[in-house]
Amino acid sequence: MTGPLVLGAALALLAAAPFAGARALRAQGALWLGGAAALLAPDLRVGALAGLAVAAAAVRWLPLRVARRVAWVGPSLVLLVFATCLLMYAAPGSPFAGERVAAPQVEAALRAQYGVPESALGFFGVYVERLLADGSLGPSLRVQGRSVADLLAPAIPVSLGLGLLALALAVGAGVALGVVAALRPRSWLDRAAMAFALVGISVPSFVLGAAGIVVFALALGWLPVAGFGSWRHLVLPALTLAAPYAATVARLARAGMLEVASLDFVRTARAKGLPESTVVLRHALPSALLPVVSYLAPAAAGILTGSFVVETLFGVPGMGQWFVKGAINRDYTLVLGTSLVYATLVAGLNLAADLLYAWLDPRVREAS
């Protein structure tokens, strides 16, 4: 009964969230944050105390803007787990099918041992019960003797570090190209920046990665072909991930800077005789970056999910390899654990981008 109850509660909370008042949103956000703190604690007693402390602090100090976003995260994660269960069970194959077909009694015993019922709804209930009771992502169904947490623990910092590095490169290079192009409209710099943007948007990441391997690893020998162990191994994967998003950021920054440059407060700053660098950096750039900040959330999501292909191409031991192996081997718990971690990271980056937007634009801050 746990599965249907949790699913029904998640649907009810999602349906009620648009109509909830400030007090209800803060209470719901505090509930989800306290539950997350309890699940992350090392044991039940510490988890209960940590959950209560976090929930009480959230009710007292959590800003309404953050509470409103957090209120959507918990139910969304529940629906993600349920949808993933449905998709895994709809796909052909079984986690216990090998080269030789197992006898029905053997498969039934394995299903009972690992907690894998015949139906998707039953597995959803078992998984949610295990997650709520133990805070555990469960054992891997195909990697014997290893839990999902054991497999993902060393991979999460790798994927997160690679993703954040690629995001930083994309934003830094894209903003610089866009601002330079906007300050020199119709010049060769503008045309070169937009040509780079067109190539970056048009060419898929696996093509860029393969071209980078051929040129910088095989032909010039500057960088390793694949693997992980030093900063040199991160250069090609990070650039491959960053290039398409840097191209989009460059176009957004250029358009934003051209629009802001014609506004009254920028003309007033120039009329006061301020240096051009001060006008651009202090007056024009914060407003010009608003479209870029709005794009950060989908860019972060795209970089994290796009790392599946890039990590496999360059042999980076991140979460992408486990998601691909889990999907191929029908390792249900491994796919669910990887999906949950990715979804949590994307939700956190979405919230960070939203707060940054509010910090840059006082109108949004006052409206929330």
Side-chain angles (χ1 to χ4, degrees):
M1 287 296 293
T2 304
L5 286 175
V6 172
L7 182 61
L11 290 173
L13 289 173
L14 279 179
F19 310 102
R23 185 173 298 177
L25 286 173
R26 279 200 175 90
Q28 189 176 338
L31 175 65
W32 289 112
L33 289 176
L39 289 176
L40 294 174
D43 59 64
L44 185 60
R45 182 177 299 177
V46 175
L49 293 175
L52 289 174
V54 170
V59 168
R60 177 64 180 84
W61 291 295
L62 188 67
L64 180 58
R65 185 177 186 82
V66 179
R68 185 180 292 114
R69 276 30 175 204
V70 173
W72 288 87
V73 172
S76 300
L77 292 179
V78 173
L79 294 181
L80 170 72
V81 172
F82 181 67
T84 306
C85 290
L86 291 179
L87 291 174
M88 289 189 303
Y89 271 77
S94 165
F96 307 111
E99 297 179 0
R100 298 163 61 181
V101 179
Q105 297 85 352
V106 175
E107 183 169 339
L110 289 173
R111 286 184 178 275
Q113 177 183 351
Y114 287 100
V116 184
E118 294 283 352
S119 68
L121 184 58
F123 181 67
F124 172 74
V126 171
Y127 190 83
V128 169
E129 285 181 5
R130 180 191 295 140
L131 189 62
L132 294 177
D134 304 329
S136 169
L137 297 176
S140 171
L141 304 182
R142 299 303 293 265
V143 183
Q144 297 297 322
R146 303 288 299 279
S147 68
V148 174
D150 292 337
L151 297 176
L152 295 183
I156 290 174
V158 175
S159 290
L160 188 58
L162 177 61
L164 291 177
L165 176 60
L167 186 61
L169 289 174
V171 173
V175 168
L177 281 175
V179 170
V180 168
L183 293 177
R184 301 287 187 275
R186 299 184 181 85
S187 67
W188 68 269
L189 281 173
D190 186 15
R191 293 189 177 91
M194 292 304 101
F196 163 78
L198 180 63
V199 172
I201 292 173
S202 305
V203 180
S205 59
F206 62 87
V207 175
L208 287 176
I213 290 174
V214 171
V215 174
F216 296 105
L218 298 179
L220 299 177
W222 292 350
L223 298 169
V225 174
F228 188 76
S230 68
W231 66 269
R232 298 175 70 246
H233 291 92
L234 288 174
V235 175
L236 282 178
L239 290 177
T240 301
L241 272 176
Y245 300 96
T248 303
V249 169
R251 293 167 64 93
L252 292 173
R254 178 182 181 274
M257 183 62 73
L258 288 175
E259 180 181 357
V260 170
S262 61
L263 296 181
D264 291 341
F265 71 92
V266 176
R267 290 202 297 260
T268 302
R270 285 199 172 99
K272 289 180 178 179
L274 295 176
E276 185 65 17
S277 59
T278 303
V279 173
V280 171
L281 296 178
R282 287 192 57 187
H283 296 274
L285 189 58
S287 297
L289 286 181
L290 292 178
V292 175
V293 175
S294 297
Y295 177 69
L296 284 182
I303 284 176
L304 286 175
T305 53
S307 65
F308 291 171
V309 176
V310 173
E311 286 178 6
T312 303
L313 178 64
F314 289 98
V316 177
M319 288 191 296
Q321 59 164 336
W322 292 118
F323 186 87
V324 173
K325 290 177 182 178
I328 292 174
N329 297 328
R330 302 295 186 270
D331 194 336
Y332 295 166
T333 52
L334 184 55
V335 172
L336 277 173
T338 310
S339 301
L340 265 178
V341 172
Y342 269 113
T344 304
L345 290 176
V346 169
L349 290 171
N350 271 323
L351 179 60
D354 200 40
L355 294 176
L356 180 59
Y357 192 97
W359 177 70
L360 287 173
D361 191 347
R363 295 169 299 175
V364 176
R365 206 164 50 236
E366 292 167 3
S368 61

